[in-house]
Amino acid sequence: MSALTTLYPPEGFGAPKHRKGHATRELGLPAGTEIFSADNHISVADDIFYERFPDDLKGAAPRIWYEDGAYMVGMKGKAWTGGDFGRVLMQYDDLAGAATNNIEARIRELREDGIDKELAFPNAVLALFHYPDKGIRERVFRIYNEVMAELQERSNGHFYGVGLINWWDPAGTRSTLEQLKSLGLKTFLLPLNPGKDDEGNIYDYGSTEMDAVWDEIEAAGLPVSHHIGETPPKTPCQHNSVVVGMMVNVDSFREQFAKYVFSGILDRHPSLRIGWFEGGIAWVPTALQDAEHMLASYRHMFNHELQQDIRYYWDHHMSASFMVDPLGLRLLDEIGVDNVMWSSDYPHNESTFGYSERSLATVVDAVGPENAVKIVSTNIQKFLGLTTA
């Protein structure tokens, strides 16, 4: 029997939208340990963009509404979050704390599941990542940041929101990062797929043309967050397409990981810190192994010579989160206990919500109480700059 078979919840926990916490707080962790989920999600419940756009621009504002159990994003009643994405949202958006309109219920549900604090990423708002009017897009991002900061303030230290920035224009990068910092947000989501410029050219994060953007990110001193969820299957799938899509999504970090290392982003910006969220941790040893093999095989063809060995870039710049990853925990000596963060992924279908303590117990069993505290609490706090200990 695999470790996964014994970890998943027993019969009776119900479908995802019927889950509830079963925490006992009997995990063997040191007294006073605060469980901090490094990756949760939140839906926008109110029509925030229309409400906060100036009157002369309201016609261009993306709209948000509730329909068939989910919060939709779109224009003129047409959702951009349909298909599989929309069907998945309907599985969890009716949980009491899933959206921005009930932070108190959210804190209560997480506490009942044994979770004290969280870092929350967007849900349907991701449909706006490539909104064609870049001026409107940046305005949307700024409004979203304001809402996350307001929730953060109301939560009294329980909730930390992930912000959004302009990545296509250095001046906009600087101003949106300044806004983030002034609002008290601690990190931002940078898309794995940066899209195209106004001439239709695909942005290349590893190019020297993008160095001015990385300069601004490095100067701001905030860590970069990358998250799965942007990589749809390349071909149609008639049966169980949601799961096929997720199988593609959970293996979406390699290209950007390679660009950080081999394109010289980290050599030119040595104080950058990067977090990889919801892709698990078992991918890390194979990525490091393959990167070392590629370095040895193709170094003679390089037009950028690496300044460090492969392992250095991971150890000094990167960390990753997981929910349920017994294999990754068995490989922890190859990954590093200081580079790993546990998460619940509340309220998503694949989250541990309803059996989080089972997942947490596997961490304690794998590494012992002292190292488990790092994984379930202090590593994410250090990543966000909430503690230096």
Side-chain angles (χ1 to χ4, degrees):
M1 181 180 292
S2 75
L4 287 175
T5 304
T6 60
L7 178 60
Y8 285 135
E11 191 71 26
F13 274 33
K17 62 183 177 180
H18 299 306
R19 293 167 296 173
K20 61 180 181 178
H22 297 74
T24 66
R25 298 281 178 168
E26 297 174 0
L27 292 169
L29 291 167
T33 301
E34 291 183 314
I35 305 300
F36 198 134
S37 173
D39 170 32
N40 286 355
H41 291 265
I42 192 162
S43 292
V44 174
D46 301 312
D47 201 9
I48 57 171
F49 306 121
Y50 184 80
E51 292 168 357
R52 301 191 187 204
F53 264 46
D55 289 342
D56 61 331
L57 289 178
K58 284 189 182 296
R63 305 301 298 267
I64 294 174
W65 68 94
Y66 190 76
E67 178 182 324
D68 295 331
Y71 293 100
M72 301 294 180
V73 176
M75 292 283 285
K76 297 180 180 178
K78 181 177 175 58
W80 299 330
T81 49
D84 289 344
F85 190 14
R87 291 193 295 123
V88 169
L89 292 174
M90 293 168 193
Q91 291 291 304
Y92 54 75
D93 263 357
D94 60 352
L95 281 170
T100 54
N101 58 346
N102 200 337
I103 189 68
E104 294 78 17
R106 185 181 184 89
I107 293 169
R108 182 184 68 250
E109 285 187 331
L110 288 170
R111 185 181 293 117
E112 290 170 353
D113 204 40
I115 297 168
D116 302 297
K117 298 185 176 185
E118 62 169 327
L119 179 66
F121 287 80
N123 274 330
V125 169
L126 293 180
L128 302 172
F129 254 172
H130 300 295
Y131 191 89
D133 185 317
K134 292 184 173 68
I136 295 293
R137 188 196 304 173
E138 183 173 319
R139 185 180 291 273
V140 163
F141 289 179
R142 288 175 180 273
I143 291 171
Y144 183 80
N145 294 341
E146 292 170 359
V147 172
M148 289 301 101
E150 290 163 10
L151 289 177
Q152 193 165 295
E153 179 69 22
R154 286 172 51 200
S155 78
N156 295 316
H158 291 278
F159 173 95
Y160 293 87
V162 176
L164 303 172
I165 70 162
N166 174 328
W167 65 83
W168 56 89
D169 166 59
T173 305
R174 182 188 315 119
S175 62
T176 49
L177 284 167
E178 287 172 350
Q179 183 215 24
L180 277 179
K181 296 180 73 170
S182 68
L183 290 171
L185 301 185
K186 304 300 182 182
T187 187
F188 57 92
L189 179 58
L190 197 64
L192 296 167
N193 171 17
K196 299 178 180 180
D197 63 21
D198 294 336
E199 283 72 48
N201 302 307
I202 297 173
Y203 290 110
D204 173 11
Y205 282 137
S207 68
T208 53
E209 287 78 9
M210 288 292 285
D211 272 351
V213 169
W214 290 114
D215 288 344
E216 298 296 342
I217 292 172
E218 184 176 37
L222 296 179
V224 181
S225 292
H226 293 294
H227 197 283
I228 70 165
E230 300 173 42
T231 312
K234 292 182 172 61
T235 58
C237 180
Q238 181 180 359
H239 301 294
N240 293 334
S241 58
V242 170
V243 176
V244 172
M246 283 303 301
M247 289 291 289
V248 174
N249 277 322
V250 297
D251 190 29
S252 57
F253 290 150
R254 274 198 167 213
E255 181 177 358
Q256 185 58 33
F257 169 82
K259 286 195 173 186
Y260 277 119
V261 173
F262 291 112
S263 292
I265 296 171
L266 294 177
D267 286 334
R268 296 189 294 274
H269 304 92
S271 64
L272 286 178
R273 292 175 295 133
I274 299 101
W276 308 96
F277 291 90
E278 206 177 318
I281 56 176
W283 67 275
V284 175
T286 59
L288 294 173
Q289 174 180 270
D290 291 347
E292 288 170 351
H293 183 57
M294 294 302 109
L295 175 63
S297 302
Y298 291 96
R299 195 168 206 160
H300 65 286
M301 299 176 66
F302 281 11
N303 60 5
H304 168 78
E305 188 64 35
L306 274 59
Q307 296 176 12
Q308 310 289 347
D309 60 39
I310 297 295
R311 183 82 212 189
Y312 179 94
Y313 297 107
W314 171 259
D315 288 342
H316 290 82
H317 293 276
M318 301 183 188
S319 54
S321 79
F322 71 99
M323 296 100 72
V324 176
D325 198 340
L327 177 59
L329 288 172
R330 291 202 296 272
L331 297 171
L332 200 57
D333 286 345
E334 299 294 327
I335 304 167
V337 71
D338 295 319
N339 302 77
V340 170
M341 305 171 290
W342 178 86
S343 67
S344 160
D345 194 39
Y346 167 94
H348 283 182
N349 291 21
E350 67 273 20
S351 82
T352 66
F353 181 59
Y355 65 105
S356 290
E357 286 200 342
R358 286 178 172 231
S359 178
L360 289 163
T362 66
V363 179
V364 179
D365 290 345
V367 303
E370 184 176 341
N371 281 329
V373 172
K374 294 182 178 181
I375 294 173
V376 307
S377 186
T378 55
N379 285 350
I380 179 60
Q381 294 187 67
K382 289 171 69 174
F383 177 80
L384 297 175
L386 300 175
T387 179
T388 57

